Amino acid sequence: VSNIEDEIEWMRRTANGDAVAFRALADAHLVKIMNFAYRVLHDRTEAEDVAQETFLRLWKDAGRYEPKARVTTWLHRIAHNLCVDRLRGRREQPSDELDEERSSTEPGGLLDRKRLATDVGKALAELPERQRTAITLVHYQGLSNIEAASILDVGVDALESLLSRGRRSLRDKLAQHEPDEVTGETGR
Amino acid sequence: VRQDDKKQTADRLRALVESYGTNPERWPPDERASAQKLETSSSNAEAWLTEQRRIDALLDGATDVVPSPALMRRVAEIPLRHEKALSGWRPGWLRNLIGLGTAAAVLGLVVGMTTSEPVATDDAVTEWDDLSTLALGVDGSEELLP
């Protein structure tokens, strides 16, 4: 799937029951949706469940897709709604995985890249959900400000506020990392 | 002063970087070119740009996850295991038309049920007989005598 017109065609075919078209869309978007759900939920099992449910919705509801949005935006919106549902259900039952990671993370010391990745994941998970989702959509998923704002149902100004507050919190949470521990690369 | 010019102040550049980071590819496309020019000409921006570059680098330190083979298999099998709830591609305008048609049909049904003529009663038959008498000079209610 190479461009928007191709994706719309794959969606049309999927809506008409074409399994080959569905699998092409899954090939193109599964990794992205899985990573989005993982960063929002910080739980691999739940992220896989959300990814599977997102593609089940794609199969069943492709006919509802409006070509005015990119397919990736449509899928991210579905996945985001599913993540929010899970986070609401989780409030009374905190994730064991998060607690385990928190207790195994010691401040200070020489931190390798794996440790940095763990700490960044933990710091992201500790952000309020909407700040975390905003950063994930813009920084990791590569969505535009308008696409990210539409998924979060906010205006661009509100999105920018979520992003800047989230980045400030991350800076504070990760203050123990020395500048030379992190790479100078900013693009992904 | 044009709105576009006002936006491209140093404050706006800082707000952009603090929201989207230092990679211009993540900046809003309509502000990208002018913000990049401002970035290169801002002499006092280095301190906060350095801080934001560090946050970007921290974020880039997170690793991606790879879907498990089991998940990939389950997703690939979705068309085999699940019926489609909606059949066929319907563009937005067609869906709207179908929705409008359905609403009109339901409205018509409701209106029809609440305002239709009552079933003929004895009174109605009598009224019809009276009209027949006036129009034809015949009393239809009486049987003809041999």
Side-chain angles (χ1 to χ4, degrees), chain A residues 1-11 21 24-25 27-29 70-72:
Chain A
V1 179
S2 58
N3 59 41
I4 292 171
E5 287 75 24
D6 289 341
E7 290 209 318
I8 292 170
E9 175 60 14
W10 288 116
M11 288 296 285
L25 287 166
D27 284 347
H29 296 283
R70 286 198 298 159
V71 173
T72 188

Side-chain angles (χ1 to χ4, degrees), chain A residues 63-67, chain B residues 88-98:
Chain A
R64 293 177 188 270
Y65 165 71
E66 297 275 0
Chain B
W89 172 265
R90 298 190 192 103
W93 66 267
L94 182 55
R95 275 203 302 277
N96 292 340
L97 199 63
I98 292 169

Side-chain angles (χ1 to χ4, degrees), chain A residues 12 14-16 23 35 39 44 48 52 59 63 66 120 139-140 145 160 167 177 183 185-186 188, chain B residues 12 18-20 51-52 54 56-61 63-66 68 74 76 82 84 88-89 95:
Chain A
R12 189 190 65 76
T14 299
N16 288 323
R23 290 192 184 110
N35 274 281
R39 292 212 162 92
R44 190 184 174 92
E48 292 215 342
Q52 184 179 346
W59 174 244
E66 297 275 0
V120 172
H139 189 91
Y140 294 111
N145 59 338
E160 291 183 358
R167 287 173 66 92
H177 289 275
T183 67
E185 297 169 9
T186 56
R188 286 177 74 86
Chain B
R12 180 55 187 156
E18 287 179 349
S19 299
Y20 301 101
E51 180 183 75
Q52 295 299 325
R54 182 169 172 274
D56 285 333
L58 286 167
L59 284 168
D60 289 344
T63 49
D64 288 344
V65 291
V66 178
S68 68
R74 290 200 302 272
H82 298 276
K84 289 183 69 61
W89 172 265
R95 275 203 302 277

